[in-house]
Amino acid sequence: MKLRKLVTQVEEVRSEMGHPVQPPARRALAAAVIANPFAGAFTDDLSELIEMGEALGELLGTEALAALGGAPIEGYGKAALVGENGELEHAAALLHPKLGAPLRAVIGGGKALVPSSKAIGRAGEILDVPLGHKDAAYVRSHFDAMRIRINDAPRPGEIVVAVALQQHGRPQPRVGGLTQDQITGADGLR
């Protein structure tokens, strides 16, 4: 894997609409800018990207967790933005077959599907990384996203791959539904 750049960002919301957020809602995102080995060419065998996804799950999970000081994690998400000389399937190869298992290992588990998004775009475009609870997909308080914009990435032959982690759900959640203390964790849904 040819890694050009690693970007990490942390957000901590302490107040929402003038109301204190207790505990503060903390989340972090780590993104890698990598060369796309298949830029400009079609290939049926995407195993090289699949293997990169496995390595990125560990690397980006470790970076994001460190940015949060190693605190317990309640939610996660992943996303990829492919430069113009690539295709959407390149993002799928990075994100889906192998990225999730090492990410879960870094944060100490997770039964729910890791929410994901993928897109094709130019340098400086926004990449939204969806977030959801790590053990129960139906916990609405954790439906969220983090955004990242890297001014010089992805270049046409690159891919931006990102992982986001959250310590808590949204600040001041109040739309109902399953709450964290109601999770059974049996199936990754509830």
Side-chain angles (χ1 to χ4, degrees), residues 15-97:
S15 173
E16 185 77 9
M17 297 296 293
H19 293 270
V21 176
Q22 285 298 335
R26 297 188 75 228
R27 56 192 184 175
L29 182 147
V33 179
I34 62 169
N36 183 350
F38 303 119
F42 182 88
T43 182
D44 287 321
D45 181 4
L46 299 176
S47 58
E48 186 176 349
L49 288 172
I50 292 169
E51 296 307 316
M52 285 183 201
E54 184 174 27
L56 287 166
E58 181 178 356
L59 172 67
L60 297 176
T62 299
E63 290 290 324
L65 185 61
L68 291 171
I73 299 302
E74 292 181 2
Y76 49 31
K78 60 188 177 181
L81 179 62
V82 180
E84 295 172 295
N85 288 343
E87 59 176 297
L88 211 52
E89 198 65 6
H90 297 163
L94 286 162
L95 296 177
H96 297 307

Side-chain angles (χ1 to χ4, degrees), residues 101-173:
L103 173 60
R104 286 180 180 92
V106 166
I107 66 168
K111 294 182 175 158
L113 178 79
V114 182
S116 67
S117 71
K118 56 192 89 41
I120 295 175
R122 297 179 181 174
E125 289 199 26
I126 292 172
L127 176 61
D128 286 313
V129 184
L131 286 161
H133 198 282
K134 72 179 184 67
D135 291 315
Y138 291 151
V139 177
R140 290 185 197 148
S141 60
H142 288 62
F143 295 173
D144 205 352
M146 283 191 78
R147 293 184 136 188
I148 186 167
R149 177 186 302 202
I150 303 173
N151 67 330
D152 66 345
R155 294 173 180 164
E158 292 180 331
I159 304 173
V160 175
V161 183
V163 163
L165 302 177
Q166 59 183 350
Q167 285 183 280
H168 311 285
R170 291 184 317 279
Q172 314 293 10

